[in-house]
Amino acid sequence: MSDRGRDADGRARQQRPRDALGRPLPFGARGVEPVPEEALPPREALALARSLLDAGRAFGAHEVLEARWKAGPAEERDFWQGLAQLCVALTHHARGNAVGAERLLERGSERLRGYRGETHGWDVADFVAEVRAVVR
């Protein structure tokens, strides 16, 4: 792996420690436990994302959901990307970036408009409402 934290194929890897909000820390610093870089099965990804959200680690939840979105079938892309964007909205909010939080809230909500009820056991409407309540 190069000193830029990329693998042989040029993909970014979690070489550098990060804080709970996803901000890079100096090498050698103690950060939060990294999340799996490979896509997890849908329900496992959602369970891990929820536990990370409950622990105040929306950035980590975003990374788990992003891996699933990039590896998942095209017909589920909006679902995974929308959830990941809502987690980024929460991350922006926690970092004090109200404009970024609002923008990602809207992008993620728009991607999830076609999903009603539960998908893979995840209540989409409840999550959108939960994020909206925090961001606004």
mmCIF file of all heavy atoms in Angstrom, residues 18-38:
data_model
loop_
_atom_site.group_PDB
_atom_site.id
_atom_site.type_symbol
_atom_site.label_atom_id
_atom_site.label_comp_id
_atom_site.label_asym_id
_atom_site.label_seq_id
_atom_site.Cartn_x
_atom_site.Cartn_y
_atom_site.Cartn_z
ATOM 1 N N ARG A 18 -9.014 7.593 12.124
ATOM 2 C CA ARG A 18 -10.024 8.652 12.027
ATOM 3 C C ARG A 18 -10.727 8.811 13.365
ATOM 4 O O ARG A 18 -10.816 7.880 14.142
ATOM 5 C CB ARG A 18 -11.054 8.318 10.950
ATOM 6 C CG ARG A 18 -10.452 8.312 9.561
ATOM 7 C CD ARG A 18 -11.507 8.117 8.503
ATOM 8 N NE ARG A 18 -10.926 8.232 7.186
ATOM 9 C CZ ARG A 18 -10.851 9.363 6.494
ATOM 10 N NH1 ARG A 18 -11.348 10.463 6.982
ATOM 11 N NH2 ARG A 18 -10.311 9.385 5.300
ATOM 12 N N ASP A 19 -11.289 10.012 13.567
ATOM 13 C CA ASP A 19 -12.095 10.225 14.761
ATOM 14 C C ASP A 19 -13.520 9.749 14.480
ATOM 15 O O ASP A 19 -13.824 9.289 13.371
ATOM 16 C CB ASP A 19 -12.034 11.688 15.236
ATOM 17 C CG ASP A 19 -12.750 12.679 14.327
ATOM 18 O OD1 ASP A 19 -13.478 12.274 13.386
ATOM 19 O OD2 ASP A 19 -12.589 13.888 14.576
ATOM 20 N N ALA A 20 -14.405 9.844 15.457
ATOM 21 C CA ALA A 20 -15.778 9.346 15.315
ATOM 22 C C ALA A 20 -16.552 10.064 14.219
ATOM 23 O O ALA A 20 -17.520 9.521 13.687
ATOM 24 C CB ALA A 20 -16.520 9.469 16.642
ATOM 25 N N LEU A 21 -16.132 11.279 13.856
ATOM 26 C CA LEU A 21 -16.816 12.028 12.788
ATOM 27 C C LEU A 21 -16.143 11.832 11.433
ATOM 28 O O LEU A 21 -16.475 12.513 10.467
ATOM 29 C CB LEU A 21 -16.870 13.519 13.141
ATOM 30 C CG LEU A 21 -17.686 13.858 14.385
ATOM 31 C CD1 LEU A 21 -17.637 15.347 14.660
ATOM 32 C CD2 LEU A 21 -19.123 13.378 14.246
ATOM 33 N N GLY A 22 -15.202 10.897 11.356
ATOM 34 C CA GLY A 22 -14.576 10.565 10.094
ATOM 35 C C GLY A 22 -13.401 11.436 9.703
ATOM 36 O O GLY A 22 -12.840 11.279 8.626
ATOM 37 N N ARG A 23 -13.007 12.345 10.574
ATOM 38 C CA ARG A 23 -11.878 13.221 10.258
ATOM 39 C C ARG A 23 -10.570 12.458 10.450
ATOM 40 O O ARG A 23 -10.401 11.772 11.463
ATOM 41 C CB ARG A 23 -11.895 14.464 11.138
ATOM 42 C CG ARG A 23 -13.105 15.349 10.859
ATOM 43 C CD ARG A 23 -13.148 16.507 11.809
ATOM 44 N NE ARG A 23 -13.404 16.011 13.160
ATOM 45 C CZ ARG A 23 -14.214 16.600 14.032
ATOM 46 N NH1 ARG A 23 -14.832 17.712 13.729
ATOM 47 N NH2 ARG A 23 -14.393 16.083 15.229
ATOM 48 N N PRO A 24 -9.648 12.589 9.475
ATOM 49 C CA PRO A 24 -8.361 11.894 9.605
ATOM 50 C C PRO A 24 -7.545 12.427 10.777
ATOM 51 O O PRO A 24 -7.548 13.627 11.058
ATOM 52 C CB PRO A 24 -7.647 12.187 8.288
ATOM 53 C CG PRO A 24 -8.518 13.056 7.488
ATOM 54 C CD PRO A 24 -9.763 13.350 8.253
ATOM 55 N N LEU A 25 -6.889 11.516 11.452
ATOM 56 C CA LEU A 25 -6.004 11.839 12.570
ATOM 57 C C LEU A 25 -4.564 11.587 12.123
ATOM 58 O O LEU A 25 -4.330 10.870 11.143
ATOM 59 C CB LEU A 25 -6.345 10.961 13.773
ATOM 60 C CG LEU A 25 -7.742 11.141 14.360
ATOM 61 C CD1 LEU A 25 -8.025 10.038 15.383
ATOM 62 C CD2 LEU A 25 -7.908 12.509 14.962
ATOM 63 N N PRO A 26 -3.600 12.122 12.845
ATOM 64 C CA PRO A 26 -2.207 11.851 12.491
ATOM 65 C C PRO A 26 -1.902 10.356 12.596
ATOM 66 O O PRO A 26 -2.472 9.652 13.431
ATOM 67 C CB PRO A 26 -1.409 12.632 13.536
ATOM 68 C CG PRO A 26 -2.358 13.618 14.111
ATOM 69 C CD PRO A 26 -3.727 13.020 14.001
ATOM 70 N N PHE A 27 -1.007 9.889 11.728
ATOM 71 C CA PHE A 27 -0.571 8.497 11.831
ATOM 72 C C PHE A 27 -0.044 8.247 13.229
ATOM 73 O O PHE A 27 0.624 9.096 13.811
ATOM 74 C CB PHE A 27 0.499 8.189 10.780
ATOM 75 C CG PHE A 27 -0.062 8.083 9.398
ATOM 76 C CD1 PHE A 27 0.108 9.104 8.482
ATOM 77 C CD2 PHE A 27 -0.778 6.962 9.010
ATOM 78 C CE1 PHE A 27 -0.417 9.011 7.210
ATOM 79 C CE2 PHE A 27 -1.316 6.856 7.740
ATOM 80 C CZ PHE A 27 -1.129 7.883 6.834
ATOM 81 N N GLY A 28 -0.391 7.117 13.797
ATOM 82 C CA GLY A 28 0.030 6.773 15.145
ATOM 83 C C GLY A 28 -0.967 7.194 16.214
ATOM 84 O O GLY A 28 -0.885 6.734 17.339
ATOM 85 N N ALA A 29 -1.902 8.087 15.863
ATOM 86 C CA ALA A 29 -2.933 8.497 16.820
ATOM 87 C C ALA A 29 -3.930 7.364 16.997
ATOM 88 O O ALA A 29 -4.057 6.470 16.161
ATOM 89 C CB ALA A 29 -3.645 9.759 16.336
ATOM 90 N N ARG A 30 -4.657 7.434 18.081
ATOM 91 C CA ARG A 30 -5.672 6.413 18.362
ATOM 92 C C ARG A 30 -7.011 6.924 17.867
ATOM 93 O O ARG A 30 -7.532 7.910 18.372
ATOM 94 C CB ARG A 30 -5.706 6.163 19.857
ATOM 95 C CG ARG A 30 -6.335 4.880 20.229
ATOM 96 C CD ARG A 30 -6.119 4.660 21.721
ATOM 97 N NE ARG A 30 -7.186 3.848 22.208
ATOM 98 C CZ ARG A 30 -7.086 2.536 22.338
ATOM 99 N NH1 ARG A 30 -5.978 1.942 22.048
ATOM 100 N NH2 ARG A 30 -8.106 1.841 22.779
ATOM 101 N N GLY A 31 -7.567 6.238 16.894
ATOM 102 C CA GLY A 31 -8.872 6.604 16.353
ATOM 103 C C GLY A 31 -9.913 5.558 16.687
ATOM 104 O O GLY A 31 -9.662 4.645 17.475
ATOM 105 N N VAL A 32 -11.085 5.705 16.088
ATOM 106 C CA VAL A 32 -12.142 4.716 16.283
ATOM 107 C C VAL A 32 -11.823 3.464 15.475
ATOM 108 O O VAL A 32 -11.021 3.495 14.538
ATOM 109 C CB VAL A 32 -13.524 5.277 15.861
ATOM 110 C CG1 VAL A 32 -13.933 6.429 16.754
ATOM 111 C CG2 VAL A 32 -13.544 5.679 14.404
ATOM 112 N N GLU A 33 -12.432 2.382 15.853
ATOM 113 C CA GLU A 33 -12.255 1.116 15.141
ATOM 114 C C GLU A 33 -12.739 1.281 13.702
ATOM 115 O O GLU A 33 -13.846 1.748 13.461
ATOM 116 C CB GLU A 33 -13.069 0.025 15.848
ATOM 117 C CG GLU A 33 -12.894 -1.351 15.283
ATOM 118 C CD GLU A 33 -11.525 -1.944 15.570
ATOM 119 O OE1 GLU A 33 -10.905 -1.582 16.587
ATOM 120 O OE2 GLU A 33 -11.075 -2.776 14.766
ATOM 121 N N PRO A 34 -11.923 0.918 12.702
ATOM 122 C CA PRO A 34 -12.381 1.045 11.314
ATOM 123 C C PRO A 34 -13.514 0.065 11.024
ATOM 124 O O PRO A 34 -13.645 -0.972 11.674
ATOM 125 C CB PRO A 34 -11.146 0.723 10.483
ATOM 126 C CG PRO A 34 -10.137 0.160 11.400
ATOM 127 C CD PRO A 34 -10.555 0.434 12.814
ATOM 128 N N VAL A 35 -14.321 0.415 10.054
ATOM 129 C CA VAL A 35 -15.421 -0.452 9.623
ATOM 130 C C VAL A 35 -14.924 -1.327 8.479
ATOM 131 O O VAL A 35 -13.921 -1.001 7.836
ATOM 132 C CB VAL A 35 -16.660 0.367 9.190
ATOM 133 C CG1 VAL A 35 -17.188 1.189 10.357
ATOM 134 C CG2 VAL A 35 -16.363 1.243 8.000
ATOM 135 N N PRO A 36 -15.614 -2.434 8.202
ATOM 136 C CA PRO A 36 -15.197 -3.280 7.077
ATOM 137 C C PRO A 36 -15.216 -2.482 5.773
ATOM 138 O O PRO A 36 -16.120 -1.691 5.531
ATOM 139 C CB PRO A 36 -16.258 -4.383 7.041
ATOM 140 C CG PRO A 36 -16.910 -4.353 8.379
ATOM 141 C CD PRO A 36 -16.786 -2.956 8.885
ATOM 142 N N GLU A 37 -14.215 -2.698 4.949
ATOM 143 C CA GLU A 37 -14.144 -2.004 3.665
ATOM 144 C C GLU A 37 -14.896 -2.753 2.576
ATOM 145 O O GLU A 37 -15.268 -2.160 1.570
ATOM 146 C CB GLU A 37 -12.686 -1.797 3.259
ATOM 147 C CG GLU A 37 -11.974 -0.831 4.174
ATOM 148 C CD GLU A 37 -10.554 -0.530 3.743
ATOM 149 O OE1 GLU A 37 -10.144 -0.964 2.647
ATOM 150 O OE2 GLU A 37 -9.865 0.149 4.501
ATOM 151 N N GLU A 38 -15.091 -4.035 2.768
ATOM 152 C CA GLU A 38 -15.808 -4.837 1.774
ATOM 153 C C GLU A 38 -17.305 -4.790 2.062
ATOM 154 O O GLU A 38 -17.724 -4.649 3.212
ATOM 155 C CB GLU A 38 -15.303 -6.282 1.810
ATOM 156 C CG GLU A 38 -13.810 -6.414 1.611
ATOM 157 C CD GLU A 38 -13.280 -5.730 0.353
ATOM 158 O OE1 GLU A 38 -13.941 -5.807 -0.701
ATOM 159 O OE2 GLU A 38 -12.205 -5.114 0.424
#
